[in-house]
């Protein structure tokens, strides 16, 4: 199974993780047809203000369709919402590196799938006797 980490850990280790599967613990935010953000939040004294502690974009063109649809329905703004707590598994990608850009590095997850932590799992896990 891929290693599980938080967003700041991924961002600090991303150059060595390019091309590898990882699982991020985060909150889904800013979801749209173009993708979403897998965001970490700082503890904030000011309710309602955005206080991200890092964010990893989820590529919208390769994001699993059901994950994308649910994210857009529940997590379209930049807030930290309990129903948007998730684990996201995908492949670390460096789009600027692919274009030959040196220096600036932005990392994203491709082929991502969201596992919603705040939602009950389907009843299929219940055993019949």
């Amino acid at each position: 199974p891929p290693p599980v980490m938080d967003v700041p850990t991924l961002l600090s280790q991303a150059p060595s993780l390019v091309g590898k599967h990882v699982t991020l613990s985060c909150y889904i935010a800013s979801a749209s047809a173009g993708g979403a953000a897998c965001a970490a939040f700082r503890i904030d004294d000011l309710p309602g203000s955005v206080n991200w502690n890092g964010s990893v974009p989820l590529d919208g063109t390769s994001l699993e369709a059901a994950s994308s649809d649910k994210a857009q329905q529940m997590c379209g703004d930049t807030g930290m919402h309990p129903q948007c707590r998730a684990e996201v598994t995908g492949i670390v990608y460096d789009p600027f590196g692919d274009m030959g850009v040196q220096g600036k590095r932005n990392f994203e997850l491709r082929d991502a799938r969201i596992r919603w932590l705040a939602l009950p799992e389907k009843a299929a896990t219940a055993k019949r006797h």
Side-chain angles (χ1 to χ4, degrees):
V4 178
M5 61 189 70
D6 61 14
V7 170
T9 301
L10 172 79
L11 293 174
S12 71
Q13 299 177 8
S16 65
L17 295 170
V18 170
K20 296 186 172 125
H21 276 88
V22 298
T23 298
L24 288 180
S25 296
C26 63
Y27 286 84
I28 304 302
S30 301
S32 69
C38 186
F41 288 83
R42 290 184 181 97
I43 295 170
D44 194 351
D45 295 330
L46 303 171
S49 65
V50 176
N51 198 0
W52 286 14
N53 191 28
S55 148
V56 176
L58 306 178
D59 174 58
T61 58
S62 65
L63 181 60
E64 185 231 355
S67 295
S68 178
D69 292 345
K70 192 170 285 191
Q72 289 178 61
Q73 291 168 14
M74 299 188 318
C75 312
D77 66 9
T78 59
M80 182 175 88
H81 303 292
Q83 73 271 22
C84 297
R85 197 167 65 87
E87 284 187 343
V88 181
T89 301
I91 300 168
V92 179
Y93 179 68
D94 174 11
F96 285 103
D98 266 12
M99 292 184 273
V101 176
Q102 298 298 313
K104 180 160 177 58
R105 305 294 291 268
N106 283 345
F107 298 93
E108 63 183 42
L109 287 187
R110 291 240 164 127
D111 299 319
R113 175 181 219 104
I114 299 169
R115 185 168 78 86
W116 302 97
L117 300 178
L119 299 177
E121 293 295 321
K122 289 197 165 51
T125 57
K127 292 182 180 165
R128 292 181 123 162
H129 296 283

